[in-house]
Amino acid sequence: MGLFSKKKFDNPAKNLQGEFEVNNWITSEFILQKLVPAVGVHPFPLDELSLMTATVCRFRPELIFEWGTNIGKSARIFLEIVNAFDIPSHIHSIDLPDDVFHNEHPKNDRGKLVRGMKGVTLHQADGVTRALEIISQQKPKGKLLFLVDGDHSYDSVFKELTAILDQVPNAVVLLHDTFYQSPGSAYNIGPNEAIKAVLANRGGAYKTISTQLGLPGMTLVYN
């Protein structure tokens, strides 16, 4: 069997009744064989691809919501994960309407990496609003995963994470661009600060796992 011929992978999730754990060798093999050839390592470097893979395998979400579709890299990552690990899940990827200005709007390239693929539905609307509408309509019974990767400001992350946890208290949430650095760096640490502020008011109900070796950074929030 050649290096790139493996189609399915064993479930890497371990100790499901204990602390978060996956078999890192299995997820690493998957990332090198499937994810990197499909999407590269930008904007999601290896440690973030690892956290995304581990999260989906651990929680096996029924629905995945993500916004800031752009060309569809994050949606493609989730699709590759659920297909490779046989996880029954559907991905809803949401981007702003064409007539709403945003300097990162991809115009005609919106969602091109997943367009027409089974398992992914593309939407154009406000991300968190559309996601909560879908949940209200479909009333899913399983776990729900959200990737918050839209406008990377304190205010938007605070607003969106609050809305998610208020409406779906057992949600699993990945947030992008959450790296923390000292103020002298002049980095945008708004998302990092917003997560701390939201969780500070929830009585320690949530745990976090973060990639903290460098930019851009990703944080998992779960309970």
Side-chain angles (χ1 to χ4, degrees):
M1 180 178 288
L3 178 62
F4 296 101
S5 61
K6 191 171 182 178
K7 301 299 182 183
K8 299 294 181 181
F9 293 80
D10 293 335
N11 184 355
K14 297 174 66 67
N15 293 314
L16 294 176
Q17 303 307 315
E19 296 295 332
F20 190 107
E21 180 184 358
V22 295
N23 183 318
N24 277 325
W25 290 281
I26 294 176
T27 56
S28 295
E29 185 181 17
F30 162 72
I31 290 165
L32 292 177
Q33 290 190 13
K34 294 293 187 180
L35 286 190
V36 173
V39 301
V41 295
H42 192 278
F44 304 103
L46 289 175
D47 57 347
E48 296 178 15
L49 294 176
S50 181
L51 182 57
M52 296 169 82
T53 302
T55 298
V56 175
C57 290
R58 172 79 177 190
F59 294 105
R60 302 178 70 84
E62 178 181 345
L63 298 177
I64 298 173
F65 299 95
E66 56 114 21
W67 43 91
T69 302
N70 206 283
I71 64 171
K73 279 201 174 182
S74 49
R76 180 64 178 270
I77 290 167
F78 289 129
L79 183 63
E80 294 286 346
I81 296 169
V82 300
N83 285 342
F85 292 97
D86 274 333
I87 298 170
S89 182
H90 192 91
I91 299 147
H92 292 276
S93 183
I94 307 162
D95 212 335
L96 292 171
D98 291 336
D99 60 355
V100 176
F101 173 78
H102 192 285
N103 58 3
E104 294 184 9
H105 197 293
K107 303 300 181 185
N108 292 335
D109 286 336
R110 180 180 63 86
K112 68 179 184 180
L113 294 181
V114 292
R115 194 177 298 153
M117 290 185 172
K118 183 180 179 182
V120 179
T121 301
L122 298 176
H123 305 261
Q124 286 189 278
D126 174 75
V128 68
T129 300
R130 181 64 183 133
L132 295 176
E133 287 174 352
I134 294 169
I135 293 166
S136 177
Q137 294 162 358
Q138 298 188 4
K139 298 179 171 48
K141 302 298 183 185
K143 276 286 187 182
L144 305 180
L145 170 61
F146 300 79
L147 171 63
V148 177
D149 189 21
D151 186 357
H152 310 125
S153 68
Y154 177 96
D155 289 343
S156 67
V157 173
F158 185 93
K159 173 185 173 184
E160 291 176 349
L161 183 57
T162 297
I164 292 168
L165 297 183
D166 283 350
Q167 297 298 316
V168 190
N170 65 343
V172 178
V173 188
L174 286 166
L175 303 103
H176 198 217
D177 289 290
T178 61
F179 183 64
Y180 177 78
Q181 183 52 277
S182 54
S185 67
Y187 288 174
N188 172 25
I189 59 171
N192 184 289
E193 296 294 310
I195 294 169
K196 293 176 183 174
V198 172
L199 299 187
N201 295 323
R202 294 178 187 263
Y206 294 91
K207 299 178 181 179
T208 61
I209 297 175
S210 297
T211 64
Q212 279 295 334
L213 293 177
L215 291 171
M218 181 174 284
T219 297
L220 166 65
V221 174
Y222 67 104
N223 61 7

